[in-house]
Amino acid sequence: MATADAPLIVATPPPRPARSARRSRTARKIALGIAGILGFLVTWQLLPTIGLVDPRYFPSATVTLAALGEQMRDLEFWRNVGRTMSAWGLGLVIATVLATVLGTVIGLVPFLRRATHTTVEFLRPIPSVALIPLAILMFGLRIEAALVIIVYASFWQVFIQVLYGVADVDTVARDTARSFGLSRGSRIVNLVFPTALPYLMTGLRLAAAVALILAITAEMFIGNPGLGREIVFAQSAGNWPVVYALVIVTGILGLLINLVFRAIERRSLAWHQSVRGEEVL
């Protein structure tokens, strides 16, 4: 209540940053990013030009970018990109579904979590590439062999995060939900899922990057069609500009995947305190 001695005070939210200030920060970030790329390309161009490295095995940036342009005009190049991304996407989906279901079930049952702890800690550190001989023995030189190592590597990224997310459910909130008579399904939807979602999104973003790495690795060592196999073919033929051009393509794919999944993470967690106020880098 306002009085003569105590005037009415209306609380107002803090002012948002001016649109011009946000635009200025965005423009500065873009400019710094472009400057970094140009600096990298100039350094790359100078290294073989001044003789610090052998240009036969480390071609200049202009030569490599020219080879990349030629590759992009070839339809087979885009088919290989599609094959790599198909193996990546299929492996990531399988790993995410399995890890989410198993992580939720094991995380909700303390007995299962204790019973599987030693097994998880034993299997998780095994490098996926160590399974390549077993995958080839089981499925031959087919995409199924590649999926074995893609799913294995991606699975743990999501599984561990889901376990931590399910375990992070507030005890008071859990007891309150039980006291109100909520069913197990309702508790999972309204309590467990919102708590575990930030962990799940983090695991999914990490798994997406790992799946791409293993998809290309599988193509290089197993011989499945895709960018990895083309890199090996170009290296065997001594065509180093194409080798580096394809390596650049894999890096661009990794960057795009990371940006897409970061955007998905921010959109799905816009309500969460870990995302609110976060600036896009």
Side-chain angles (χ1 to χ4, degrees):
M1 178 181 297
T3 65
D5 296 327
L8 178 63
I9 298 176
V10 179
T12 58
R16 295 184 178 181
R19 182 174 300 179
S20 59
R22 292 198 299 268
R23 289 179 177 176
S24 177
R25 287 197 299 267
T26 302
R28 185 165 57 250
K29 290 177 182 179
I30 294 176
L32 289 175
I34 294 175
I37 294 174
L38 292 177
F40 171 76
L41 292 175
V42 169
T43 303
W44 183 3
Q45 181 69 26
L46 288 176
L47 288 177
T49 301
I50 64 180
L52 288 179
V53 294
D54 192 337
R56 293 177 299 176
Y57 306 112
F58 191 80
S60 64
T62 53
V63 173
T64 303
L65 293 178
L68 177 58
E70 293 179 2
Q71 289 291 313
M72 295 179 68
R73 290 192 294 268
D74 188 354
L75 181 59
E76 186 63 21
F77 164 80
W78 295 107
R79 289 173 178 166
N80 287 320
V81 172
R83 291 161 182 159
T84 298
M85 297 307 294
S86 296
W88 165 82
L90 183 57
L92 181 62
V93 169
I94 295 173
T96 301
V97 172
L98 290 176
T100 302
V101 172
L102 291 177
T104 302
V105 171
I106 294 175
L108 288 175
V109 182
F111 170 76
L112 289 179
R113 185 160 187 171
R114 291 192 299 269
T116 59
H117 177 75
T118 302
T119 303
V120 169
E121 293 302 318
F122 169 74
L123 294 176
R124 186 163 60 97
I126 297 177
S128 299
V129 292
L131 301 178
I132 290 179
L134 177 62
I136 295 176
L137 182 64
M138 293 173 58
F139 299 103
L141 304 179
R142 297 183 298 171
I143 190 174
E144 288 84 353
L147 289 177
V148 168
I149 64 173
I150 296 172
V151 171
Y152 185 84
S154 304
F155 173 85
W156 299 111
Q157 305 294 326
V158 180
F159 179 77
I160 298 300
Q161 291 292 330
V162 172
L163 278 183
Y164 281 117
V166 173
D168 197 38
V169 175
D170 185 70
T171 304
V172 176
R174 184 189 300 115
D175 294 340
T176 302
R178 289 174 178 171
S179 66
F180 276 95
L182 295 181
S183 64
R184 177 175 291 272
S186 181
R187 293 199 300 268
I188 292 176
V189 173
N190 298 292
L191 182 61
V192 176
F193 180 73
T195 304
L197 184 59
Y199 294 87
L200 173 61
M201 296 308 301
T202 299
L204 184 59
R205 176 163 51 85
L206 296 175
V210 170
L212 179 64
I213 295 172
L214 270 300
I216 296 172
T217 301
E219 292 165 356
M220 296 179 71
F221 288 93
I222 298 177
N224 298 315
L227 292 174
R229 190 177 71 169
E230 293 304 309
I231 291 174
V232 173
F233 285 170
Q235 184 269 336
S236 300
N239 194 348
W240 294 104
V242 173
V243 171
Y244 287 101
L246 295 178
V247 169
I248 290 175
V249 173
T250 61
I252 294 174
L253 290 177
L255 176 62
L256 293 176
I257 287 173
N258 184 65
L259 291 176
V260 168
F261 276 86
R262 280 179 63 89
I264 294 173
E265 183 178 11
R266 287 192 300 271
R267 179 64 62 87
S268 61
L269 298 178
W271 52 272
H272 196 265
Q273 61 182 0
S274 65
V275 174
R276 285 181 298 180
E278 178 186 0
E279 293 186 3
V280 182
L281 299 179

